[in-house]
């Protein structure tokens, strides 16, 4: 009867724990929904400058593009307010340009990128934010030229975009020069020069390159690159290559500067191919590909393979051209955009017919709803996991307690002097004696228990236990048993592993040797540790402290005081 009562109590406790877990999950879900909803409201009420600052932090420091996207969309949705201050318009225009870059770099969505940058330009023009206007001009020109990596510059589809992009870069350079922004000047001039270099039209951009090369407000590496392009245009290829190398060497090796170094390498690769120095060019190309593929940049690898393929094909090296073409196709498959020009045209057309501000507001609400759902599911799963872990731990504790009771009962039954319980009324002595004899017989035939006794015999009396390389494999070999059976016997009878049992035996022997002043009085802690199988003092100290609750040094001091 008592066993049935205990079983019922156990079932009731389990049911109560499950009910409490469900209640906790519901409370957690409601709380997380409220928190996520408050987060959306908080974001919508944030000042524009703070939204831009947080989005930049998510992009540059913690690399959380989805969070940055939410902040930038909230910021961009303010572009259609009836009136803005110049300062807020400047921040919104800047945020929309950053949003365009995020769409390209993280999501490869050229249509939405074009829409964001066009809106940035519209805001900058309306509120006369000159630097933001220059930034948007550079961004639009760069977007237009994204297809240069996939099509020849002379194709009919690109001719108009190339001319438009040159005008945008030149306009951005003039605006940045008037505003005194050397960084933007250099960026516009370098991109304009590269465009002229790629299209073999450096004469068209030479005037802007000369101005940038002699303006001290422009960064040194950019001035060197402009000089290199001018030297190339004059036919001095060796000087141009040397200046490109100097420009690269003046840059650092991390962050944006690492990308600029890669840009210099690509320019040098093109110059080497045009100069006929193909061995050096192909070696440099392989280096660039190795770096870019290692960073997951398949797009740049595609550009490099395309340059090498075109050169090999031009030289009539059919086999090499075929190899480069295969690598080029493999890299192309890894990129997520195929028709960049089509996406850009779609973005421009969509911008004309769609209210971007309302679209961004709808996007932010949709993203917020998705985040709320994720919070709900996440909160529910966390609480449920916590409940399962708690139940598992409780189950392990119950099993361990049960094993201890079984072991104690086996030891008592094995002792010949164990008292025989007094018989109760209603039972015969024969019935009870038969029951006890069956139990003893079952205990003696317990193979797991008998195997554990053999394990104990080895662990307590075999000096091999204190050898450094003694392991469960060695123990299994000594007992001629399978390692899995031994591990199961130790787990069943002690609730622990072989390693924990070995540690207890070694620490117990270490304590004995510490107290044995006659034979081990001159031993250091390291010597004691080595003598019981540990090759490192730190490991020995860690195990010793875990088992005894004190370090070996403290144990030695207390032992001396006791003696």
């Amino acid at each position: 009867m008592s066993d049935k009562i205990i079983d019922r109590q156990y079932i009731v406790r389990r049911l109560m724990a499950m009910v409490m877990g469900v209640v906790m999950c519901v409370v957690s879900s409601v709380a997380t929904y409220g928190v996520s909803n408050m987060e959306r409201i908080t974001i919508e009420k944030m000042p524009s400058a703070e939204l831009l600052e947080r989005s930049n932090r998510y992009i540059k420091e913690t690399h959380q593009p989805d969070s940055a996207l939410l902040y930038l969309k909230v910021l961009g949705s303010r572009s259609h307010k009836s009136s803005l201050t110049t300062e807020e318009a400047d921040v919104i225009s800047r945020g929309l340009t950053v949003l365009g870059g995020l769409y390209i770099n993280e999501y490869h969505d050229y249509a939405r990128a074009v829409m964001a940058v066009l809106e940035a330009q519209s805001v900058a023009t309306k509120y006369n934010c000159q630097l933001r206007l220059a930034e948007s001009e550079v961004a639009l020109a760069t977007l237009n030229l994204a297809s240069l990596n996939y099509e020849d510059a002379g194709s009919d589809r690109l001719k108009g975009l190339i001319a438009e992009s040159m005008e945008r870069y030149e306009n951005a350079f003039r605006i940045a020069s008037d505003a005194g922004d050397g960084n933007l000047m250099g960026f516009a001039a370098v991109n304009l020069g590269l465009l002229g270099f790629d299209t073999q039209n450096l004469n068209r951009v030479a005037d802007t390159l000369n101005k940038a090369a002699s303006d001290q407000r422009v960064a040194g590496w950019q001035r060197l690159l402009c000089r290199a392009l001018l030297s190339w245009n004059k036919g001095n290829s060796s000087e141009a290559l040397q200046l490109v190398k100097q420009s690269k060497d003046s840059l650092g090796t991390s962050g944006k500067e690492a990308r600029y170094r890669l840009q210099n390498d690509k320019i040098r690769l093109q110059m080497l191919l045009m100069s006929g120095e193909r061995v050096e060019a192909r070696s440099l190309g392989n280096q660039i590909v190795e770096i870019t593929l290692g960073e997951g940049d398949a797009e740049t690898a595609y550009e490099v393979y395309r340059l090498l393929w075109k050169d090999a094909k031009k030289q009539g090296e059919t086999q090499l051209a075929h190899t480069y073409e295969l690598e080029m196709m493999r890299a192309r498959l890894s990129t997520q955009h195929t028709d960049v020009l089509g996406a850009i045209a779609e973005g421009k057309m969509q911008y004309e017919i769609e209210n971007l501000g309302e679209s961004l507001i709808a996007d932010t609400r949709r993203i917020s709803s998705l985040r709320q759902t994720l919070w709900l599911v996440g909160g529910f799963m966390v609480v449920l996991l916590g409940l399962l872990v708690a139940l598992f731990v409780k189950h392990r504790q119950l099993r361990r307690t049960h094993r201890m009771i079984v072991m104690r009962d086996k030891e008592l039954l094995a002792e010949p002097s164990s008292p025989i319980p007094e018989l109760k009324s209603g039972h015969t002595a024969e019935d009870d004696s038969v029951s006890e004899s069956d139990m003893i017989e079952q205990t003696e035939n317990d193979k797991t228990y008998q195997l554990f006794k053999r394990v104990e015999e080895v662990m307590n009396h075999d000096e091999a236990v204190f050898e450094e390389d003694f392991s469960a494999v060695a123990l299994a070999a000594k007992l001629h048993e399978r390692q899995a059976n031994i591990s199961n016997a130790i787990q069943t009878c002690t609730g622990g592993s072989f390693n924990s049992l070995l540690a207890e035996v070694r620490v117990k022997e270490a304590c004995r040797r510490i107290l044995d002043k006659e034979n081990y009085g001159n031993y250091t802690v390291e010597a004691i540790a080595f003598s019981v199988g540990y090759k490192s003092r730190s490991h020995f100290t860690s195990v010793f402290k875990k088992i005894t609750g004190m370090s070996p040094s403290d144990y030695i001091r207390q032992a001396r005081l006791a003696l």
Side-chain angles (χ1 to χ4, degrees):
M1 179 65 71
S2 61
D3 289 342
K4 291 182 180 179
I5 293 174
I6 292 173
D7 288 343
R8 288 174 184 172
Q9 290 176 347
Y10 179 73
I11 292 171
V12 170
R13 284 198 299 270
R14 282 293 177 91
L15 289 174
M16 288 179 64
M18 292 177 67
V19 171
M20 287 298 296
V22 172
V23 172
M24 289 174 64
C25 288
V26 172
V27 172
S28 175
S29 299
V30 172
T32 51
Y33 179 83
V35 169
S36 59
N37 195 44
M38 288 176 61
E39 179 191 24
R40 180 179 65 80
I41 296 172
T42 303
I43 292 174
E44 289 179 352
K45 290 183 177 180
M46 275 185 189
S48 297
E50 186 177 352
L51 286 171
L52 180 59
E53 180 186 352
R54 290 200 179 197
S55 62
N56 283 328
R57 195 182 309 144
Y58 281 128
I59 294 171
K60 297 176 182 177
E61 296 178 11
T62 59
H63 192 69
Q64 299 179 43
D66 291 339
S67 297
L69 185 66
L70 175 61
Y71 280 79
L72 289 172
K73 283 187 172 184
V74 172
L75 178 60
S77 66
R78 297 175 182 177
S79 63
H80 280 261
K81 282 185 178 180
S82 56
S83 62
L84 295 169
T85 63
T86 305
E87 291 77 11
E88 187 172 14
D90 186 272
V91 171
I92 291 173
S93 179
R94 173 64 178 154
L96 285 164
T97 303
V98 174
L99 177 61
L102 187 67
Y103 274 133
I104 295 174
N105 297 328
E106 297 294 341
Y107 303 101
H108 303 282
D109 190 339
Y110 280 79
R112 286 185 175 271
V114 169
M115 293 175 66
V117 178
L118 284 172
E119 184 70 7
Q121 187 179 53
S122 174
V123 173
T125 302
K126 182 178 179 180
Y127 292 94
N128 196 29
C129 304
Q130 292 299 304
L131 279 179
R132 300 291 85 83
L133 180 60
E135 281 182 353
S136 63
E137 287 279 47
V138 169
L140 284 170
T142 306
L143 274 168
N144 285 342
L145 298 176
S147 285
L148 271 176
N149 301 329
Y150 302 96
E151 298 191 33
D152 290 322
S155 70
D156 293 334
R157 298 211 317 165
L158 281 178
K159 285 180 180 178
L161 283 179
I162 289 171
E164 177 192 331
S165 298
M166 283 187 170
E167 290 177 6
R168 289 189 183 279
Y169 281 133
E170 288 172 339
N171 188 37
F173 182 83
R174 283 193 299 271
I175 296 171
S177 180
D178 292 340
D181 191 328
N183 183 49
L184 195 53
M185 287 172 61
F187 194 76
V190 166
N191 279 279
L192 178 62
L194 294 178
L195 179 56
F197 179 72
D198 287 336
T199 58
Q200 299 181 9
N201 195 11
L202 282 171
N203 287 327
R204 163 78 169 73
V205 301
D207 184 53
T208 303
L209 291 177
N210 273 311
K211 290 178 182 178
S214 59
D215 197 317
Q216 294 300 313
R217 293 174 296 181
V218 177
W221 72 271
Q222 292 173 325
R223 294 201 308 273
L224 286 168
L225 200 52
C226 289
R227 286 173 54 196
L229 293 171
L230 288 168
S231 296
W232 181 265
N233 192 40
K234 294 174 183 177
N236 194 342
S237 58
S238 59
E239 181 182 348
L241 285 166
Q242 184 63 29
L243 286 168
V244 171
K245 188 176 184 304
Q246 290 177 17
S247 175
K248 175 187 173 181
D249 292 341
S250 65
L251 289 164
T253 57
S254 61
K256 285 186 177 180
E257 294 195 357
R259 294 200 295 273
Y260 296 148
R261 286 172 67 90
L262 190 62
Q263 184 184 57
N264 282 13
D265 279 338
K266 285 161 56 182
I267 297 169
R268 185 161 166 259
L269 171 64
Q270 289 176 271
M271 288 182 174
L272 287 170
L273 289 172
M274 292 180 185
S275 301
E277 299 180 31
R278 290 181 176 80
V279 175
E280 186 178 353
R282 288 165 183 171
S283 174
L284 177 62
N286 290 333
Q287 292 175 22
I288 297 173
V289 167
E290 184 177 352
I291 293 170
T292 53
L293 289 180
E295 296 174 349
D297 184 3
E299 186 173 345
T300 302
Y302 174 85
E303 297 173 31
V304 173
Y305 279 132
R306 191 165 184 271
L307 289 171
L308 295 172
W309 166 72
K310 288 172 67 177
D311 180 72
K313 188 176 179 182
K314 183 179 178 180
Q315 298 301 314
E317 300 178 64
T318 309
Q319 185 63 37
L320 186 60
H322 180 64
T323 301
Y324 285 136
E325 187 176 17
L326 289 176
E327 294 296 338
M328 187 172 65
M329 292 172 63
R330 190 175 291 119
R332 179 71 179 271
L333 290 172
S334 300
T335 59
Q336 298 187 26
H337 47 83
T338 53
D339 185 8
V340 177
L341 276 179
I344 292 172
E346 178 188 348
K348 290 180 178 179
M349 182 177 66
Q350 195 171 353
Y351 178 74
E352 296 296 330
I353 62 175
E354 183 177 322
N355 186 322
L356 183 64
E358 292 180 1
S359 174
L360 290 175
I361 290 172
D363 282 348
T364 57
R365 288 176 179 168
R366 185 165 56 253
I367 292 173
S368 297
S369 298
L370 178 61
R371 287 161 70 95
Q372 288 173 358
T373 303
L374 292 175
W375 272 101
L376 287 170
V377 175
F380 182 84
M381 294 301 294
V382 167
V383 175
L384 185 60
L385 180 63
L387 176 64
L388 291 175
V389 169
L391 291 176
F392 176 75
V393 171
K394 185 66 178 176
H395 179 64
R396 289 290 299 273
Q397 290 175 345
L398 289 172
R399 284 187 62 191
R400 188 173 300 173
T401 303
H402 177 70
R403 289 193 198 103
M404 292 175 63
I405 293 172
V406 170
M407 290 292 296
R408 185 194 64 188
D409 289 347
K410 287 177 179 178
E411 291 175 358
L412 290 174
L413 290 172
E415 293 178 5
S417 60
S418 297
I420 300 175
E422 185 178 342
L423 297 178
K424 296 180 181 180
S425 59
H427 296 79
T428 65
E430 290 181 358
D431 291 338
D432 282 352
S433 62
V434 169
S435 175
E436 287 184 7
S437 64
D438 289 342
M439 187 182 300
I440 294 173
E441 183 180 355
Q442 181 180 356
T443 301
E444 290 175 348
N445 292 333
D446 190 335
K447 293 183 180 179
T448 300
Y449 180 68
Q450 295 300 328
L451 177 57
F452 179 69
K453 283 298 183 183
R454 292 171 61 200
V455 170
E456 276 191 322
E457 182 69 21
V458 172
M459 299 298 283
N460 290 330
H461 300 97
D462 196 325
E463 288 295 322
V465 173
F466 307 120
E467 294 176 3
E468 181 183 326
D469 58 350
F470 186 77
S471 64
V473 176
L475 178 61
K478 280 182 174 293
L479 296 175
H480 303 291
E481 290 282 350
R482 292 177 58 195
Q483 184 181 344
N485 292 341
I486 291 176
S487 297
N488 181 57
I490 295 173
Q491 176 70 25
T492 301
C493 295
T494 69
S497 64
F498 166 79
N499 288 334
S500 61
L501 179 62
L502 179 62
E504 288 179 6
V505 172
R506 286 179 170 179
V507 169
K508 180 179 178 182
E509 178 61 18
C511 292
R512 188 192 70 76
R513 294 185 183 187
I514 289 172
L515 297 174
D516 187 355
K517 294 186 65 178
E518 182 178 350
N519 296 314
Y520 299 96
N522 295 326
Y523 275 47
T524 62
V525 173
E526 288 88 347
I528 291 289
F530 184 77
S531 70
V532 294
Y534 292 100
K535 61 180 178 181
S536 135
R537 173 172 178 161
S538 60
H539 184 206
F540 172 66
T541 301
S542 174
V543 174
F544 193 96
K545 191 170 184 179
K546 182 178 179 181
I547 293 175
T548 66
M550 64 181 71
S551 67
S553 301
D554 291 339
Y555 187 86
I556 291 172
R557 279 195 293 271
Q558 291 197 17
R560 288 174 179 171
L561 289 174
L563 293 174

